[in-house]
DNA sequence: TCTGGGGTCCTAGGACCC
DNA sequence: TCTGGGGTCCTAGGACCC
């Protein structure tokens, strides 16, 4: 029996949620990003006044853009100042993560009514295992994929009914291919394919589209004359291993042939939690010492609050600094026992900070707690346990 | 016009233990 | 006096993803 793995990606998620609130913006280039300063203003006549990208000044980046804004060359991750140069008249809205999280829960619940085997991949996408969903294995009118296609359509319809939003779905035998396919027919798309379709549908795509080939690996591939997934598939495994190492090289070979046996993981525990902030202007370690210290303490308090709210403690405390030249350094330190105490975190983070040479202005400061455990599963620090009676004799190794 | 914030995983060297 | 080797933990950095 074939596996039917699906990947669902909400279409321009943040921007689409905003359009539900501000339907008058539908059809216009809209960009989401930056701080709260460009909140729409409600005018006396009941209409709203929106900020234009041209009015923005600061260090924010584009979080999402509507398809109309993308047509002007604006993409997520782009600096807002650069986006403003491309599309000065585009509407700028601040990000409202609470609202996006609310819609995220709504769409996931709608999916779960039909396909309960869900792997969370962030706020706007999920994998689903449709293999055991009733009807997924049925042929429809001689089409062996008719059953899964109908299931996927039902999921899309349920999401739309619950949220008013559209999504795109890819259904294939594995996660790697499904992720690729959910992107082939956006927005409001549905792409179903089997292994037999790989040469015609997958191999013409740029290698960069594979989840796991980022800007660095792609640049190295291009330098070797490899641009498409098909060109990658044509490479000998051994040759890829020689150029990219045993692990990544072998994976590149598998990926290019559309092979991936990772399961859909329906539950996972967090490994770390962090808070970081980029300053409006670069701060000097000495001249702005007080401000930095206050910021540092606040980050520690925020991570501590995040840990407590979610019921975790952690024992590896780390800091992250970014200098004005964009160089990033991290330092961490493991404590004897896990904590969610802001003062303990602040102290350990302070120790970490002492190990960094502060010879430049800073643009970012971050605090992270790793090595997480569920708080209720960690033994209370009780009275010291009596030492084991020392062994009378240690077995020699040889 | 310089590049957010929240994560995961991998690699690699050194300490330390058996 | 020098020689092995495996395992785990700790730390730093980097690639990648949403």
């Amino acid at each position: 029996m074939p596996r039917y793995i699906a990947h669902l990606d909400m279409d321009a998620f943040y921007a689409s949620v905003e359009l539900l609130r501000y339907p008058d913006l539908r059809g216009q280039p809209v960009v989401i990003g930056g701080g709260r300063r460009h909140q729409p203003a409600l005018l006396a006549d009941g209409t709203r006044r929106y900020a234009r990208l041209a009015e923005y000044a600061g260090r924010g980046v584009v979080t999402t853009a509507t398809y109309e804004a993308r047509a002007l060359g604006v993409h997520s991750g782009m600096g807002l100042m650069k986006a403003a140069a491309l599309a000065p008249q585009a509407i700028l809205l601040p990000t409202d993560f609470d609202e996006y999280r609310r819609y995220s829960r709504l769409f996931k619940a709608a999916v779960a009514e039909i396909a309960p085997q869900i792997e969370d991949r962030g706020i706007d996408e999920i994998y689903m295992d449709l293999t055991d969903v009733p009807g997924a294995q049925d042929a429809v009118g001689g089409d062996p994929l008719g059953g899964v296609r109908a299931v996927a359509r039902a999921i899309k319809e349920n999401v739309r009914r619950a949220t008013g939003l559209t999504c795109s779905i890819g259904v294939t035998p594995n996660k790697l291919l499904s992720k690729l396919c959910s992107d082939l027919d956006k927005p409001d798309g549905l792409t179903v394919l089997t292994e037999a379709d790989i040469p015609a549908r997958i191999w013409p795509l740029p290698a960069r589209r594979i989840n796991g080939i980022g800007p660095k690996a792609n640049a190295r591939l291009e330098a070797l004359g490899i641009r498409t997934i098909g060109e990658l598939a044509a490479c000998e495994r051994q040759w890829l291993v020689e150029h990219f190492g045993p692990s990544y090289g072998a994976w590149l070979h598998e990926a290019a042939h559309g092979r991936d046996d990772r399961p859909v993981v329906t539950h996972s525990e967090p490994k770390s939690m962090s808070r970081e902030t980029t300053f409006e202007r670069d701060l000097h370690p000495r001249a702005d010492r007080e401000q930095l210290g206050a910021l540092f303490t606040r980050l520690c308090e925020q991570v501590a609050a995040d840990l407590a709210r979610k019921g975790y403690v952690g024992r590896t405390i780390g800091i992250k600094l970014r200098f004005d030249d964009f160089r990033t350094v991290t330092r961490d330190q493991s404590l004897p026992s896990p904590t969610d105490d802001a003062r303990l975190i602040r102290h350990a983070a302070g120790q970490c900070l002492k190990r960094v040479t502060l010879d430049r202005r800073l643009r970012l400061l971050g605090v992270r707690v790793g090595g997480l455990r569920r708080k209720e599963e960690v033994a209370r620090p009780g009275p010291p346990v009596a030492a084991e009676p020392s062994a009378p004799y240690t077995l020699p190794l040889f």
Side-chain angles (χ1 to χ4, degrees):
Chain A
M1 194 172 77
R3 274 207 309 166
Y4 290 128
I5 305 299
H7 180 260
L8 180 155
D9 199 309
M10 297 299 290
D11 299 323
F13 185 54
Y14 301 174
S16 303
V17 171
E18 295 294 348
L19 290 181
L20 294 175
R21 266 199 283 209
Y22 308 123
D24 48 315
L25 293 181
R26 213 163 274 280
Q28 295 193 55
V30 178
V31 168
I32 318 294
R36 305 105 233 22
R37 275 188 306 283
H38 39 276
Q39 200 67 243
L42 192 57
L43 304 181
D45 63 0
T47 63
R48 289 192 186 85
R49 197 229 161 241
Y50 300 101
R52 301 279 166 174
L53 211 38
E55 301 161 30
Y56 181 83
R59 296 181 143 173
V61 298
V62 175
T63 308
T64 329
T66 57
Y67 293 95
E68 290 81 2
R70 294 180 197 192
L72 299 171
V74 175
H75 300 289
S76 48
M78 178 181 282
L80 282 171
M81 297 297 276
K82 179 175 178 178
L86 291 169
Q89 292 309 303
I91 306 287
L92 176 62
L93 294 174
T95 43
D96 180 354
F97 278 105
D98 289 338
E99 187 71 349
Y100 312 148
R101 269 191 288 269
R102 196 167 76 75
Y103 275 89
S104 182
R105 285 190 294 270
L106 285 176
F107 97 74
K108 286 169 189 173
V111 172
E113 288 175 359
I114 294 170
Q117 302 268 86
I118 294 175
E119 175 175 334
D120 235 294
R121 293 308 308 192
I123 201 161
D124 69 339
E125 60 181 75
I126 53 174
Y127 288 104
M128 302 162 275
D129 192 333
L130 304 183
T131 309
D132 298 326
V133 170
Q137 302 287 341
D138 300 351
V140 175
D143 177 7
L145 298 176
V148 248
R149 197 171 271 122
V151 167
R153 273 197 298 261
I155 290 170
K156 279 164 62 78
E157 179 50 28
N158 227 29
V159 167
R160 202 205 50 74
R161 197 164 52 222
T163 64
L165 301 172
T166 63
C167 61
S168 298
I169 298 184
V171 186
T172 79
N174 64 51
K175 287 162 79 168
L176 182 109
L177 292 171
S178 296
K179 169 81 177 164
L180 236 23
C181 284
S182 65
D183 213 38
L184 291 184
D185 189 26
K186 256 185 175 303
D188 201 15
L190 173 58
T191 301
V192 184
L193 57 76
T194 67
E195 266 141 27
D197 301 311
I198 292 172
R201 305 290 301 280
I202 302 299
W203 283 353
L205 301 173
R208 178 72 176 83
R209 299 274 279 274
I210 290 177
N211 198 249
I213 298 181
K216 301 285 180 175
N218 191 240
R220 289 176 61 194
L221 286 168
E222 283 195 349
L224 294 164
I226 298 158
R227 287 177 36 260
T228 68
I229 300 176
E231 286 163 358
L232 187 60
C235 296
E236 292 279 355
R237 174 192 297 266
Q238 187 50 40
W239 185 85
L240 288 169
V241 165
E242 280 157 20
H243 281 87
F244 293 92
S247 172
Y248 196 63
W251 175 80
L252 281 174
H253 189 258
E254 291 297 294
H257 288 273
R259 293 191 284 257
D260 173 24
D261 57 11
R262 290 171 301 163
V264 170
V265 178
T266 55
H267 182 79
S268 69
E269 283 291 314
K271 307 267 197 300
S272 70
M273 289 184 198
S274 66
R275 285 288 186 129
E276 64 184 54
T277 184
T278 296
F279 317 134
E280 294 196 10
R281 61 172 184 91
D282 296 340
L283 297 180
H284 192 280
R286 284 190 312 281
D288 301 307
R289 193 174 190 282
E290 241 175 83
Q291 200 184 340
L292 279 166
L295 238 23
F296 195 35
T297 301
R298 190 158 63 92
L299 290 169
C300 294
E301 289 165 352
Q302 285 172 334
V303 202
D306 294 340
L307 288 166
R309 183 161 36 83
K310 295 175 181 161
Y312 289 89
V313 286
R315 57 179 288 263
T316 305
I317 314 301
I319 60 164
K320 171 168 152 184
L321 306 180
R322 178 122 72 208
F323 296 101
D324 55 2
D325 61 355
F326 223 68
R327 186 170 59 94
T328 305
V329 303
T330 62
R331 292 290 181 274
D332 59 44
Q333 182 190 0
S334 293
L335 303 177
S337 55
T339 184
D340 61 357
D341 184 297
R343 285 158 308 172
L344 285 178
I345 294 169
R346 177 65 176 81
H347 182 258
Q351 297 298 114
C352 291
L353 190 57
K354 285 186 187 171
R355 296 190 274 138
V356 184
T357 310
L358 298 172
D359 53 357
R360 302 192 67 106
R361 286 178 180 272
L362 294 165
R363 67 174 286 138
L364 173 149
L365 191 55
V367 175
R368 181 177 42 84
V369 177
L372 298 190
R373 312 250 317 260
R374 288 226 65 115
K375 187 166 190 177
E376 72 263 20
E377 285 165 19
V378 174
R380 297 281 167 284
V385 179
E388 293 262 329
S390 61
Y393 176 68
T394 306
L395 213 60
L397 272 162
F398 296 104

